[in-house]
Every structure is written in structure tokens, then in C-alpha cells.
Amino acid sequence: MSKTRPVYLDYAATTPIDARVAERMAECLTAEGTFGNPASTHAYGRAARARVEAARTQVAALIGARTSDVIFTSGATEANNLAILGLARGARAARGAQAVHVITARTEHKAVLDPCRQLEREGFAVTFLTPVEEGRVMPEQLRAALRPETVLVSLMHANNETGAIQDVAAFGALCRAHGAALHVDAAQSAGKLPIDVQAMGIDLLSFTAHKLYGPKGVGALYVQQGRRVALQPLMYGGGHERGLRSGTLAVHQIVGFGAACELALQLMGAEATRQAALRARLWAGVGALPGALLNSPTVHALPGVLNVSFAGIEGESLLFGLTELALASGSACNSDSEEPSYVLRAIGRDRETAQSALRFSLGRGTRSEDIDIAIAAVQREVLRLRLLATDATAAGGAALAGAASGEAGTREQGTWVRFMLKAANGRIASASYQAYGCPQTLAVCEWLAGQLPGCPWADPGVGGALDWVEAMQLPADRLTRLLIIEDALRAALAAAQRQVAPG
Ligand SMILES: *Cc1c(COP(=O)(O)O)cnc(C)c1O
């Protein structure tokens, strides 16, 4: 296991390029290939332009658009920025910023939330909806939030953390009736769910190649030609892409994107069925664990995404222990201050629950053997961490009879530690611990439990938090957590002292 790479279950973060796609891309790189600038009028340029336009047709076909309605960008982040900033700033020219209102949701990707926050700084009014049911925005919520001055509604098709699928067609109908433009971030759904921009009433749609087995660094914005509100470009220079996105077109990227879209359209139906079955198998395994809580919707979820929290388990330690898997978590790794997943917090999960979440995202390369490896690994780690964090007074109390114990911290704080010591003849005869916390906390506790036996209880000489940070080369931001270990150890030593010398 250590020699081979971990099982990849993070397809929602990115996907490998399909070999057939890579082949098409390679044809556009070297001197023999289609390397020309599509803006050039000679044969090299015309050949490149022909390939770009063929790709544009493939990309448009995936979302039911006309070829001329697709603008190539560097990815979904840029497409979202162009749609949101471009539309609002375009409307400002006609009405003034105060008269421009935008609606979005708290569970959107940062690539939507951050441009919306930028709009607020520029004086625009923005409403952030909080999803109600299973992380989905209800059409009635949108209806209630629409104002006469609402020009743009930006709501995603499928959520990147939970896989929740929104009723985009209902949003489209409301926006059409109201005269507001609907922008949809479809980075997670394009190539996985059927999309028809015309039928769904979508005015602007963002997606990206690297989430659908194409290359990183290329995406598209669907912008209906003859749109009602003019987009203001983010960049100027050359007037490429209908003046909305200047810059020489990345032919190899665009050709790869086109090929990936064509493949996705062919494979979508069968892959959705296959992945849904794998997802069900995964949930049957991990959902049976005590304390497992589904964060993904039961029905309206992407076939390949399963988000699960494990009550009472520290998320960072859980992820750390799953060495045979590559997947994402809801925990705010490597930071004492950062909130765990804002998406899970927005759908009503408390900090601890959000912190203990794992996002499994399956893809074309996922096999049932991978699911079985994942289930076994999660079962092992959840049971191990739960045992480690189990309150001894409730459970294993008898086995620790006669031990002096001391504890510090709380689970709400993110760290809880208890040491149990037995003393004999002035020395520590045995030491054990229980802990809930980050991997470093658990490692220091484990190390201490090994060091303490044989040490004089009055002064065991194992040092304190500062020494442990140095000796074990731990990140300095872990110091506050290690101080909790130090407190727990002191408390246990004090209890041992009282036990050995009563009165
Ligand atoms: C990945 C993702 C993005 C960002 O796409 P890039 O092409 O990497 O910029 C935006 N929105 C959602 C929902 C995503 O999953």
C-alpha cells in the first residue's frame, strides 16, 4: 500500500485528462501541429481557428447552446467573475450602483461569493440566501428575495461540497418572469447532469474543463447573444471573444475542452448510473458506522458525491489516518482560526460536525474495489479515534481502576485530553491517555504515554508544550493545543500525588 498511490476519491477537486483528450491536445503544440494563432489570416491561423470553432461547437452542444453563445475563459473562476462583475458593472452604467441588486446564496463556491462581496464594496446591494432544505435554495426563497432593481441572480447547479442539485429550471422561470438575468455556476454539473440553457431559462452559465476530464486552465461562459444586459469585460486588448475576453486563444486547451465535452456527452448517462451505484455501496458501508451523518441530499445529489460527518470524531485526525485515500474534508486543516467548511455551516451543521466531514467524490476511474478500500479505511479510523476519545468514566473505567487521572480542554475547543497514571514506589508504573484532537495532539499524547512509565512522578522530566513543539518539529500554531496536553498531564500528576500521599 505504501508503494502505490492512494485511491483517488477527489474528482470534485479535479480530474485527470482523458487519454483521448490529451491526444487531441498534443496535435496543437509542435511545429507539425496546429500551433498557429487563430487570429492570423494565413493558413496556420485558419487551421487553428477551424479547430477552435469545432471545439466551440462541441462545448456548446454539452449545454444545449448555439456555438456563437460560448466565450472561452481560463476556467470557471474567470467565467463567474466575468458574469457577475461584468453584468452588475454593465447595469451600473445605465442605472447607478444603488439601483442594482444581486441575489446569490451562502453555499456558493468562493469564485461566486468573492466577486459578490467585491460588488458590495463597490456599492451594489447583494442578498445572500441561506438554503433551507438539504442545502437547497427553494424557489419560494428566491421569489421572496427578488426586488424591482434585481438585475442578476447567481445560483449554482450542483454544490461542490455536498453535491446538492438545485432546481435551476424553477429559478430560470422566476428570473424570466421578473426580468432578472440568471447566472449558473455549473462547474460541478457540466458533463455529469443534462443541461439545456434554453429550456432551463439560463442567461449565463460557467463551467470548466478540468472537472470533466479536460485540461486545467480553460473554461467557458455561456452568454446568450443579443442578451438583455450588456456585460462589461474584465480585460481589454484585442477584442477577442466578442470583445468580452481579450487575449490569444489557447488552442490546445480549447481543443482539449471540446474533446472532453464531446466524450462527457457520450458517457454521461452510463457514468451517472454506475457512480450512483458505487455511491450507494459507499454509503451502505460508512453510513452504518455509529454517528455517521449524511450531509448530501438523499435524492437531489450528484451521483458521484457523498459528504458524511462522523459525530465525536476530529476531522483532521480522521483525514490524517486515512493514508490509503486521497479525499477532501470539511476541516479547517492547518489553522487554529479558520472556520470549518462554510458550506456545511450554512446548511445548519455545527462547527464540530462540519469539522468531522469527509467528501468522497467518485469519477470515471473509480472501481468497486476502491469503494471497499475506502469503507475499510474509514471504519478502521472512525473506530480507532472514537475509542481513543471515549470517556473512560462511562466506558473503560473498570480497566483503569486505581489510576489517577487528570484532564483538560473540551471537544468544543477542538482538543480534549485525559491522562491516567498509576504510581508505585515514587515512580509512574503505567500511563495511558484518551484524546480528541488534531494529529499532532494525538502524536504527543502517544509519545508521552510511552515516555512516562518509570519516571519519578514528582518530576517526570518530560518537558512541556514548548519542548514538544521543538523536539517533534511541530507547527508553532499547535502550541495552544499542546498547552492543553500539558495541563492534563499536570492535573494527572497532581492527582497521583494526592493518591500516593493522602492528606
Ligand atoms: C472548481 C469549481 C470552480 C472553479 O473552477 P476553476 O476552473 O478551477 O476556476 C468554480 N465553481 C465550482 C462550483 C467549482 O467546483
mmCIF file of all heavy atoms in Angstrom, residues 12-13 74-78 80 108-112 156 158-160 185-188 207-211 217-219, ligand 1:
data_model
loop_
_atom_site.group_PDB
_atom_site.id
_atom_site.type_symbol
_atom_site.label_atom_id
_atom_site.label_comp_id
_atom_site.label_asym_id
_atom_site.label_seq_id
_atom_site.Cartn_x
_atom_site.Cartn_y
_atom_site.Cartn_z
ATOM 1 N N ALA A 12 -14.125 15.781 -7.487
ATOM 2 C CA ALA A 12 -14.791 17.091 -7.471
ATOM 3 C C ALA A 12 -13.767 18.220 -7.393
ATOM 4 O O ALA A 12 -14.083 19.371 -7.673
ATOM 5 C CB ALA A 12 -15.767 17.179 -6.301
ATOM 6 N N ALA A 13 -12.538 17.895 -7.009
ATOM 7 C CA ALA A 13 -11.467 18.905 -6.977
ATOM 8 C C ALA A 13 -10.850 19.052 -8.351
ATOM 9 O O ALA A 13 -10.623 20.161 -8.837
ATOM 10 C CB ALA A 13 -10.398 18.522 -5.963
ATOM 11 N N SER A 74 -10.348 31.284 -18.819
ATOM 12 C CA SER A 74 -9.294 30.453 -18.222
ATOM 13 C C SER A 74 -9.855 29.394 -17.279
ATOM 14 O O SER A 74 -9.114 28.591 -16.725
ATOM 15 C CB SER A 74 -8.311 31.335 -17.452
ATOM 16 O OG SER A 74 -8.983 31.970 -16.377
ATOM 17 N N GLY A 75 -11.158 29.401 -17.047
ATOM 18 C CA GLY A 75 -11.758 28.424 -16.150
ATOM 19 C C GLY A 75 -13.069 28.963 -15.602
ATOM 20 O O GLY A 75 -13.541 30.031 -16.026
ATOM 21 N N ALA A 76 -13.637 28.250 -14.634
ATOM 22 C CA ALA A 76 -14.922 28.672 -14.076
ATOM 23 C C ALA A 76 -14.774 29.907 -13.191
ATOM 24 O O ALA A 76 -15.690 30.723 -13.109
ATOM 25 C CB ALA A 76 -15.568 27.528 -13.295
ATOM 26 N N THR A 77 -13.634 30.055 -12.532
ATOM 27 C CA THR A 77 -13.437 31.238 -11.685
ATOM 28 C C THR A 77 -13.531 32.504 -12.529
ATOM 29 O O THR A 77 -14.255 33.451 -12.177
ATOM 30 C CB THR A 77 -12.070 31.174 -10.980
ATOM 31 O OG1 THR A 77 -12.027 30.001 -10.174
ATOM 32 C CG2 THR A 77 -11.830 32.403 -10.108
ATOM 33 N N GLU A 78 -12.833 32.513 -13.646
ATOM 34 C CA GLU A 78 -12.892 33.699 -14.508
ATOM 35 C C GLU A 78 -14.284 33.870 -15.114
ATOM 36 O O GLU A 78 -14.794 34.998 -15.201
ATOM 37 C CB GLU A 78 -11.840 33.611 -15.623
ATOM 38 C CG GLU A 78 -11.781 34.903 -16.425
ATOM 39 C CD GLU A 78 -10.958 34.790 -17.708
ATOM 40 O OE1 GLU A 78 -10.036 33.958 -17.777
ATOM 41 O OE2 GLU A 78 -11.267 35.544 -18.639
ATOM 42 N N ASN A 80 -17.137 33.000 -13.822
ATOM 43 C CA ASN A 80 -18.014 33.542 -12.775
ATOM 44 C C ASN A 80 -17.768 35.034 -12.577
ATOM 45 O O ASN A 80 -18.704 35.823 -12.445
ATOM 46 C CB ASN A 80 -17.774 32.822 -11.440
ATOM 47 C CG ASN A 80 -18.337 31.409 -11.420
ATOM 48 O OD1 ASN A 80 -19.178 31.055 -12.240
ATOM 49 N ND2 ASN A 80 -17.876 30.600 -10.492
ATOM 50 N N GLU A 108 -22.575 29.062 -2.194
ATOM 51 C CA GLU A 108 -21.892 29.132 -3.486
ATOM 52 C C GLU A 108 -20.385 28.927 -3.312
ATOM 53 O O GLU A 108 -19.838 29.110 -2.221
ATOM 54 C CB GLU A 108 -22.133 30.503 -4.127
ATOM 55 C CG GLU A 108 -23.560 30.752 -4.563
ATOM 56 C CD GLU A 108 -24.009 29.858 -5.707
ATOM 57 O OE1 GLU A 108 -23.266 29.716 -6.691
ATOM 58 O OE2 GLU A 108 -25.115 29.297 -5.602
ATOM 59 N N HIS A 109 -19.718 28.596 -4.413
ATOM 60 C CA HIS A 109 -18.255 28.494 -4.441
ATOM 61 C C HIS A 109 -17.653 29.880 -4.198
ATOM 62 O O HIS A 109 -18.288 30.886 -4.521
ATOM 63 C CB HIS A 109 -17.844 27.973 -5.826
ATOM 64 C CG HIS A 109 -16.426 27.525 -5.936
ATOM 65 N ND1 HIS A 109 -15.400 28.395 -6.220
ATOM 66 C CD2 HIS A 109 -15.865 26.299 -5.810
ATOM 67 C CE1 HIS A 109 -14.259 27.719 -6.274
ATOM 68 N NE2 HIS A 109 -14.516 26.441 -6.027
ATOM 69 N N LYS A 110 -16.429 29.900 -3.675
ATOM 70 C CA LYS A 110 -15.745 31.174 -3.429
ATOM 71 C C LYS A 110 -15.639 32.018 -4.709
ATOM 72 O O LYS A 110 -15.614 33.245 -4.659
ATOM 73 C CB LYS A 110 -14.340 30.928 -2.863
ATOM 74 C CG LYS A 110 -14.338 30.536 -1.385
ATOM 75 C CD LYS A 110 -14.304 31.754 -0.492
ATOM 76 C CE LYS A 110 -14.789 31.527 0.918
ATOM 77 N NZ LYS A 110 -13.962 30.728 1.780
ATOM 78 N N ALA A 111 -15.611 31.341 -5.849
ATOM 79 C CA ALA A 111 -15.485 32.043 -7.126
ATOM 80 C C ALA A 111 -16.756 32.806 -7.495
ATOM 81 O O ALA A 111 -16.765 33.582 -8.450
ATOM 82 C CB ALA A 111 -15.123 31.059 -8.245
ATOM 83 N N VAL A 112 -17.841 32.578 -6.740
ATOM 84 C CA VAL A 112 -19.060 33.382 -6.877
ATOM 85 C C VAL A 112 -19.166 34.341 -5.685
ATOM 86 O O VAL A 112 -19.465 35.529 -5.854
ATOM 87 C CB VAL A 112 -20.314 32.483 -6.966
ATOM 88 C CG1 VAL A 112 -21.584 33.271 -6.702
ATOM 89 C CG2 VAL A 112 -20.379 31.825 -8.345
ATOM 90 N N MET A 156 -25.808 28.260 -8.084
ATOM 91 C CA MET A 156 -25.099 27.145 -8.717
ATOM 92 C C MET A 156 -26.040 25.993 -9.055
ATOM 93 O O MET A 156 -27.111 25.855 -8.460
ATOM 94 C CB MET A 156 -23.953 26.669 -7.823
ATOM 95 C CG MET A 156 -24.401 25.934 -6.570
ATOM 96 S SD MET A 156 -23.163 25.895 -5.219
ATOM 97 C CE MET A 156 -21.618 25.739 -6.035
ATOM 98 N N ALA A 158 -24.946 22.490 -9.112
ATOM 99 C CA ALA A 158 -24.657 21.440 -8.124
ATOM 100 C C ALA A 158 -23.545 21.914 -7.209
ATOM 101 O O ALA A 158 -22.566 22.496 -7.672
ATOM 102 C CB ALA A 158 -24.260 20.145 -8.822
ATOM 103 N N ASN A 159 -23.709 21.658 -5.918
ATOM 104 C CA ASN A 159 -22.731 22.139 -4.940
ATOM 105 C C ASN A 159 -21.482 21.266 -4.919
ATOM 106 O O ASN A 159 -21.562 20.031 -4.939
ATOM 107 C CB ASN A 159 -23.362 22.202 -3.550
ATOM 108 C CG ASN A 159 -22.436 22.832 -2.540
ATOM 109 O OD1 ASN A 159 -21.624 22.138 -1.915
ATOM 110 N ND2 ASN A 159 -22.509 24.138 -2.411
ATOM 111 N N ASN A 160 -20.324 21.917 -4.833
ATOM 112 C CA ASN A 160 -19.050 21.205 -4.886
ATOM 113 C C ASN A 160 -18.744 20.432 -3.608
ATOM 114 O O ASN A 160 -17.967 19.494 -3.632
ATOM 115 C CB ASN A 160 -17.920 22.183 -5.190
ATOM 116 C CG ASN A 160 -17.999 23.438 -4.361
ATOM 117 O OD1 ASN A 160 -18.988 24.173 -4.409
ATOM 118 N ND2 ASN A 160 -16.960 23.687 -3.578
ATOM 119 N N ASP A 185 -23.434 28.712 -11.942
ATOM 120 C CA ASP A 185 -22.113 28.084 -11.867
ATOM 121 C C ASP A 185 -22.339 26.582 -12.000
ATOM 122 O O ASP A 185 -22.860 25.941 -11.090
ATOM 123 C CB ASP A 185 -21.464 28.435 -10.521
ATOM 124 C CG ASP A 185 -20.090 27.774 -10.341
ATOM 125 O OD1 ASP A 185 -19.741 26.887 -11.145
ATOM 126 O OD2 ASP A 185 -19.384 28.151 -9.387
ATOM 127 N N ALA A 186 -21.971 26.050 -13.157
ATOM 128 C CA ALA A 186 -22.208 24.633 -13.438
ATOM 129 C C ALA A 186 -20.901 23.854 -13.482
ATOM 130 O O ALA A 186 -20.802 22.813 -14.144
ATOM 131 C CB ALA A 186 -22.972 24.477 -14.754
ATOM 132 N N ALA A 187 -19.889 24.328 -12.734
ATOM 133 C CA ALA A 187 -18.579 23.663 -12.765
ATOM 134 C C ALA A 187 -18.675 22.204 -12.329
ATOM 135 O O ALA A 187 -17.952 21.349 -12.836
ATOM 136 C CB ALA A 187 -17.585 24.419 -11.891
ATOM 137 N N GLN A 188 -19.574 21.910 -11.378
ATOM 138 C CA GLN A 188 -19.679 20.531 -10.890
ATOM 139 C C GLN A 188 -20.664 19.683 -11.686
ATOM 140 O O GLN A 188 -20.569 18.462 -11.662
ATOM 141 C CB GLN A 188 -20.111 20.526 -9.412
ATOM 142 C CG GLN A 188 -19.038 21.003 -8.452
ATOM 143 C CD GLN A 188 -17.829 20.089 -8.395
ATOM 144 O OE1 GLN A 188 -17.904 18.896 -8.712
ATOM 145 N NE2 GLN A 188 -16.697 20.640 -7.990
ATOM 146 N N PHE A 207 -18.621 27.021 -16.729
ATOM 147 C CA PHE A 207 -18.098 25.671 -16.456
ATOM 148 C C PHE A 207 -16.636 25.594 -16.851
ATOM 149 O O PHE A 207 -16.062 26.555 -17.355
ATOM 150 C CB PHE A 207 -18.969 24.560 -17.049
ATOM 151 C CG PHE A 207 -19.230 24.617 -18.543
ATOM 152 C CD1 PHE A 207 -18.882 23.536 -19.354
ATOM 153 C CD2 PHE A 207 -19.851 25.703 -19.126
ATOM 154 C CE1 PHE A 207 -19.140 23.551 -20.718
ATOM 155 C CE2 PHE A 207 -20.122 25.729 -20.490
ATOM 156 C CZ PHE A 207 -19.755 24.656 -21.280
ATOM 157 N N THR A 208 -16.018 24.454 -16.538
ATOM 158 C CA THR A 208 -14.572 24.361 -16.633
ATOM 159 C C THR A 208 -14.141 22.984 -17.111
ATOM 160 O O THR A 208 -14.801 21.986 -16.806
ATOM 161 C CB THR A 208 -13.945 24.716 -15.262
ATOM 162 O OG1 THR A 208 -12.534 24.774 -15.382
ATOM 163 C CG2 THR A 208 -14.317 23.703 -14.193
ATOM 164 N N ALA A 209 -13.055 22.926 -17.877
ATOM 165 C CA ALA A 209 -12.642 21.660 -18.497
ATOM 166 C C ALA A 209 -12.091 20.655 -17.491
ATOM 167 O O ALA A 209 -12.321 19.456 -17.606
ATOM 168 C CB ALA A 209 -11.601 21.936 -19.583
ATOM 169 N N HIS A 210 -11.372 21.153 -16.467
ATOM 170 C CA HIS A 210 -10.638 20.195 -15.620
ATOM 171 C C HIS A 210 -11.515 19.403 -14.659
ATOM 172 O O HIS A 210 -11.043 18.476 -14.011
ATOM 173 C CB HIS A 210 -9.488 20.890 -14.876
ATOM 174 C CG HIS A 210 -9.879 21.721 -13.698
ATOM 175 N ND1 HIS A 210 -9.829 21.221 -12.414
ATOM 176 C CD2 HIS A 210 -10.299 22.998 -13.577
ATOM 177 C CE1 HIS A 210 -10.190 22.172 -11.562
ATOM 178 N NE2 HIS A 210 -10.488 23.266 -12.254
ATOM 179 N N LYS A 211 -12.811 19.743 -14.591
ATOM 180 C CA LYS A 211 -13.714 18.936 -13.771
ATOM 181 C C LYS A 211 -14.401 17.863 -14.625
ATOM 182 O O LYS A 211 -15.142 17.054 -14.103
ATOM 183 C CB LYS A 211 -14.778 19.829 -13.113
ATOM 184 C CG LYS A 211 -14.232 20.988 -12.258
ATOM 185 C CD LYS A 211 -14.002 20.620 -10.819
ATOM 186 C CE LYS A 211 -13.281 21.684 -10.029
ATOM 187 N NZ LYS A 211 -14.144 22.736 -9.525
ATOM 188 N N GLY A 217 -7.075 25.167 -16.672
ATOM 189 C CA GLY A 217 -6.729 26.445 -17.300
ATOM 190 C C GLY A 217 -7.611 26.848 -18.458
ATOM 191 O O GLY A 217 -7.276 27.781 -19.175
ATOM 192 N N VAL A 218 -8.719 26.147 -18.670
ATOM 193 C CA VAL A 218 -9.657 26.589 -19.703
ATOM 194 C C VAL A 218 -11.089 26.308 -19.245
ATOM 195 O O VAL A 218 -11.359 25.300 -18.598
ATOM 196 C CB VAL A 218 -9.367 25.919 -21.079
ATOM 197 C CG1 VAL A 218 -9.563 24.414 -21.033
ATOM 198 C CG2 VAL A 218 -10.225 26.553 -22.176
ATOM 199 N N GLY A 219 -11.945 27.240 -19.532
ATOM 200 C CA GLY A 219 -13.354 27.093 -19.172
ATOM 201 C C GLY A 219 -14.180 27.908 -20.144
ATOM 202 O O GLY A 219 -13.659 28.406 -21.158
HETATM 203 C C1 LIG B 1 -13.958 24.023 -9.366
HETATM 204 C C2 LIG B 1 -15.056 24.985 -9.232
HETATM 205 C C3 LIG B 1 -14.899 26.328 -9.617
HETATM 206 C C4 LIG B 1 -13.577 26.883 -10.087
HETATM 207 O O1 LIG B 1 -13.238 26.415 -11.347
HETATM 208 P P1 LIG B 1 -11.775 26.709 -11.953
HETATM 209 O O2 LIG B 1 -11.884 26.318 -13.365
HETATM 210 O O3 LIG B 1 -10.849 25.851 -11.169
HETATM 211 O O4 LIG B 1 -11.503 28.158 -11.775
HETATM 212 C C5 LIG B 1 -15.989 27.156 -9.503
HETATM 213 N N1 LIG B 1 -17.168 26.717 -9.037
HETATM 214 C C6 LIG B 1 -17.353 25.443 -8.641
HETATM 215 C C7 LIG B 1 -18.687 25.012 -8.150
HETATM 216 C C8 LIG B 1 -16.304 24.536 -8.727
HETATM 217 O O5 LIG B 1 -16.493 23.283 -8.326
#
